[in-house]
Amino acid sequence: MKWLYIAAGIALYVKMLLMQNPAPDLSGMSITELVVKDCGLPNAVSGIIFRNRLYDTIYEVVVFTIAILGASFLLANERQSCAIYQFKDEPSIVLARLGATISALVGIELAIRGHLSPGGGFAAGVAGGTAIGLVAITSSPQLMQKIYKRWHAATWEKVSVLVFIVLSVITLAGYELPHGELGALFSGGIVPILNILVAVKVALGSWAVILVFIRYRGLL
């Protein structure tokens, strides 16, 4: 019976390799134009990531979540670092915090308008995580940990993942919000919401990893 399953699997694989897929009718439109028309987004990349290939994006978010949990798990049994290496001179602190402010503003812009221009949720989360990292190397670790717990960042991170998965499943089931006017801020259906959720997830997840590495490694 086992060999029967193997033979059936090989036969199916060969059939998929040899099967001819009919070429799509582009009707004089480029692939990018078709994606923009189908998603209602000027940013075709966001349309592909958060709609046409949303199934892949769900697992990308899950993989990032597992990576954060893995960092905490693997370092949990190590001795905490006694020395924390940070910027002490005033010019470096000012420049780092200025960079953090700019990076945070860029992250907010990418999260809100990522479906209209280059950028998106992942890029916004990276910018937010960079801002948090720049603040971390100029601030007290105890203060960073206190703020992290006060605002329940770990809880918000988990909530953002769960909401993202739920909305993604609903979208994959065929239920979508109206696309709205192409190029408007409130357009693109569910994509802007997914953008913001991913940005929150990546930024807060980066914050958690930064705190772990500061605690066990002394810095990033």
Side-chain angles (χ1 to χ4, degrees), residues 175-192:
Y175 301 97
E176 296 189 53
L177 295 175
H179 287 173
E181 182 182 353
L182 180 66
L185 183 61
F186 297 100
S187 63
I190 198 67
V191 174

Side-chain angles (χ1 to χ4, degrees), residues 41-52:
L41 298 169
N43 185 352
V45 175
S46 290
I48 292 173
I49 292 175
F50 290 107
R51 188 178 181 279
N52 294 19

Side-chain angles (χ1 to χ4, degrees), residues 3-207:
W3 293 107
L4 179 62
Y5 288 135
I6 294 176
I10 293 175
L12 178 61
Y13 180 69
V14 172
K15 179 181 178 182
M16 291 174 61
L17 289 177
L18 299 178
M19 185 172 56
Q20 296 292 330
N21 293 323
D25 182 16
L26 300 182
S27 303
M29 301 176 66
S30 67
I31 296 296
T32 303
E33 291 173 334
L34 286 174
V35 172
V36 169
K37 182 180 179 180
D38 186 42
C39 301
L41 298 169
N43 185 352
V45 175
S46 290
I48 292 173
I49 292 175
F50 290 107
R51 188 178 181 279
N52 294 19
R53 300 195 63 181
L54 182 56
Y55 186 80
D56 295 341
T57 308
I58 293 175
Y59 285 98
E60 290 175 8
V61 173
V62 172
V63 166
F64 186 79
T65 303
I66 295 174
I68 295 170
L69 296 174
S72 302
F73 177 77
L74 292 175
L75 295 176
N77 294 326
E78 294 196 13
R79 181 180 301 175
Q80 296 188 11
S81 177
C82 298
I84 305 297
Y85 301 95
Q86 294 179 304
F87 289 154
K88 300 296 184 181
D89 56 301
E90 194 64 27
S92 297
I93 293 175
V94 172
L95 288 175
R97 294 186 176 177
L98 175 62
T101 302
I102 296 174
S103 184
L105 293 175
V106 170
I108 295 172
E109 168 73 9
L110 292 175
I112 296 176
R113 296 176 54 85
H115 59 296
L116 304 178
S117 61
F122 290 101
V126 170
T130 300
I132 294 171
L134 289 172
V135 173
I137 61 177
T138 61
S139 304
S140 166
Q142 293 77 16
L143 177 62
M144 294 292 295
Q145 186 71 38
K146 183 178 179 181
I147 296 175
Y148 184 81
K149 292 183 177 179
R150 179 194 304 168
W151 291 98
H152 306 287
T155 302
W156 283 110
E157 178 198 348
K158 295 177 177 62
V159 169
S160 64
V161 175
L162 293 176
V163 174
F164 179 87
I165 293 176
V166 170
L167 293 180
S168 298
V169 170
I170 293 174
T171 302
L172 291 173
Y175 301 97
E176 296 189 53
L177 295 175
H179 287 173
E181 182 182 353
L182 180 66
L185 183 61
F186 297 100
S187 63
I190 198 67
V191 174
I193 300 175
L194 297 180
N195 254 333
I196 294 173
L197 288 173
V198 169
V200 172
K201 161 63 189 170
V202 174
L204 296 182
S206 301
W207 191 354

